Amino acid sequence: MKNRKRNITMIAVLLFVCAAVLLNWSYNNRWGEPDAEMVSAEDEALAQANALSADGESVTASYFAEARLTRQVSRDEALQLLQSAATAETASQETIDSAMSAISAMATTSMKEAQIENLLIAKEFADCVVYIGDGRITVAVPAPEEGLSEDAVARITEIICSETEYEASQLSIIQVKA
């Protein structure tokens, strides 16, 4: 009886595999040869996308988007580690309190960075990324070929000093050129 069930199960699995192979083969054959017009249209769209990447503004915008994404990914990973440390069964109360304090500090820092970024964009900067940490604050802003003017640096410094407890000496401004 046991052998019979095993044999029936093996035959059923084999039939499912054969059916999957047959469906895959029929699906792939249904599409036929590639359409020359479609291929040329896709090549043209790819060429246009590459041309946009060569444009300075697109490259600068992608820098800021990548910087924000990298910052968010690293924060998410750190947050997961802190949450797993806080929820571990063997975690002491001191570990839990420390993890919760770090999570709270991370949330406060994240909100402050977003607030400063919004203020800088409102002050006529096209885009920016703000990093707060280790007793320093770093601001990356797009800059023209000749660099940021003294007025632009003063506006950035004013916003940072008014919105945070940091002083001008703790501020680094990175000029992202197109």
Side-chain angles (χ1 to χ4, degrees):
M1 183 74 169
K2 192 174 186 178
N3 265 345
R4 186 174 175 182
K5 285 183 180 180
R6 187 183 70 189
N7 288 342
I8 291 172
T9 305
M10 288 176 44
I11 290 171
V13 169
L14 188 59
L15 285 174
F16 284 128
V17 169
C18 289
V21 168
L22 179 65
L23 287 172
N24 190 26
W25 177 77
S26 66
Y27 179 76
N28 286 332
N29 283 339
R30 181 172 46 165
W31 294 105
E33 294 299 315
D35 183 19
E37 286 181 36
M38 183 65 86
V39 170
S40 65
E42 288 175 350
D43 288 345
E44 186 177 319
L46 184 61
Q48 286 176 352
N50 287 339
L52 283 177
S53 294
D55 180 19
E57 290 180 24
S58 296
V59 172
T60 303
S62 72
Y63 166 80
F64 290 108
E66 276 187 44
R68 279 191 202 90
L69 180 63
T70 302
R71 179 180 66 188
Q72 189 61 42
V73 166
S74 65
R75 282 216 176 111
D76 289 345
E77 290 172 356
L79 185 61
Q80 285 178 343
L81 287 173
L82 290 170
Q83 287 175 338
S84 65
T87 59
E89 291 180 18
T90 58
S92 66
Q93 187 60 40
E94 182 179 325
T95 303
I96 293 171
D97 292 343
S98 175
M100 290 302 170
S101 174
I103 290 171
S104 175
M106 192 181 302
T108 302
T109 300
S110 182
M111 287 176 31
K112 190 63 79 175
E113 287 172 346
Q115 180 182 6
I116 293 169
E117 287 172 1
N118 289 334
L119 288 171
L120 288 171
I121 290 171
K123 291 283 187 175
E124 301 176 18
F125 288 99
D127 206 350
C128 65
V129 178
V130 177
Y131 302 98
I132 297 176
D134 296 332
R136 296 199 51 80
I137 186 163
T138 304
V139 180
V141 294
E145 297 258 339
E146 62 275 1
L148 290 174
S149 66
E150 289 183 23
D151 183 49
V153 172
R155 282 185 285 161
I156 293 170
T157 305
E158 176 190 347
I159 290 171
I160 299 300
C161 292
S162 67
E163 294 297 318
T164 65
E165 66 278 356
Y166 293 97
E167 298 175 10
S169 63
Q170 296 171 302
L171 172 63
S172 295
I173 299 174
I174 298 172
Q175 299 180 40
V176 179
K177 295 186 180 177

